[in-house]
Amino acid sequence: MSTNKPAIDREEKNAIVGGTLYLVATPIGNLADLSERAIKTLSEVDFVAAEDTRNSGKLLSCFGISKPMVSYHEHNKKERGEGIVSRLLAGESCALVTDAGTPAISDPGEDLVRLCAERGVPVTSVPGACAAVNALALSGLATGKFVFEGFLPVPKSERRERLEELSGEKRTMILYEAPHKLRTTLNDLLETFGNRKIALCRELTKLNEEIYRTTLEAAVETYREREPRGEYVLILEGGEGKKKECFFAHMTVEEHVAHYMAGGMSKMDATKAVAKDRGVPKNEIYRKINT
Ligand code: SAM
């Protein structure tokens, strides 16, 4: 019997089902990457939850879709998540979209999926672009085993801890980074990992897409001159598995201060240096060594 669609279509999950959350991947730069199925889903669900309703509203209108929207982002995810789940439990269908790429990957979608799982709400995905996976595939580095780290923490002590943990990582590492933090991150990576291969994947799927396959030293050098622009995914080569420990890892604060003083620093300068090393305010160190 002949049908319009190939037989394999009968295996597909296409119908929009009430009470279901759809994670709809949106383009990471190139509008043509919004899939046919994503358009269908966005057109047919009861409402769309979006990280930024203005951004996503523009995307939807490019495809002639007009839908009731609710915002769901980092700062309202707790109470808004409950509202969305109540509507799902009442039988409505919802598409979750974020600013770009796959919802729940380095954005608040993660919490909504968890909440749905806890409340027995079915969740399904309409896959598409994800910056991390695309960058990994393009990097030219080992793809067999990898670890996704998203954004490194910004507070110094947390960042140091994270990097120290990663220093023993054998798998290829995937990091997201904003342009204004790129130089600092490259310097921190070089300091932690030494010179090793890195691929800087910039503006993927956009007009100025660039895959810069290089070493950490060369990347630091390049970006001394060059202004970082656009969005980056950093793909870093894995190591031999030897964890790097900072020299003060087993020192008490007092021993750490004494270490600098033995090198000729005044107590005040040693206190400042210790605070910098540990990423804490200097009065905290001062208090510790004077009580
Ligand atoms: N959920 C998204 C995904 O699936 O990739 C990631 C969201 S995260 C908040 C945003 C980060 O993804 C950016 O800071 C950048 O590191 C990376 N990114 C997004 N689009 C990109 C692109 N076109 N090229 C390179 N990196 C991109």
Side-chain angles (χ1 to χ4, degrees), residues 25-30 51 98-108 128-135 148 150-151 175-179 201-206 209-210 230-234:
T26 55
I28 55 170
N30 191 324
E51 192 176 8
T98 50
D99 276 351
T102 299
I105 303 301
S106 262
D107 58 41
C130 176
V133 174
N134 279 283
F148 176 65
F151 295 94
L175 299 164
Y176 281 164
E177 196 47 283
C201 304
R202 188 174 81 86
E203 297 287 84
L204 295 172
T205 77
K206 302 184 195 175
E209 175 177 290
E210 179 189 50
E231 301 192 271
Y232 288 83
V233 183
L234 308 178

Side-chain angles (χ1 to χ4, degrees), residues 261-277:
M261 289 178 70
M265 276 191 190
S266 67
K267 192 171 178 185
M268 185 55 88
D269 286 346
T271 305
K272 280 187 200 158
V274 169
K276 192 164 177 246
D277 282 349

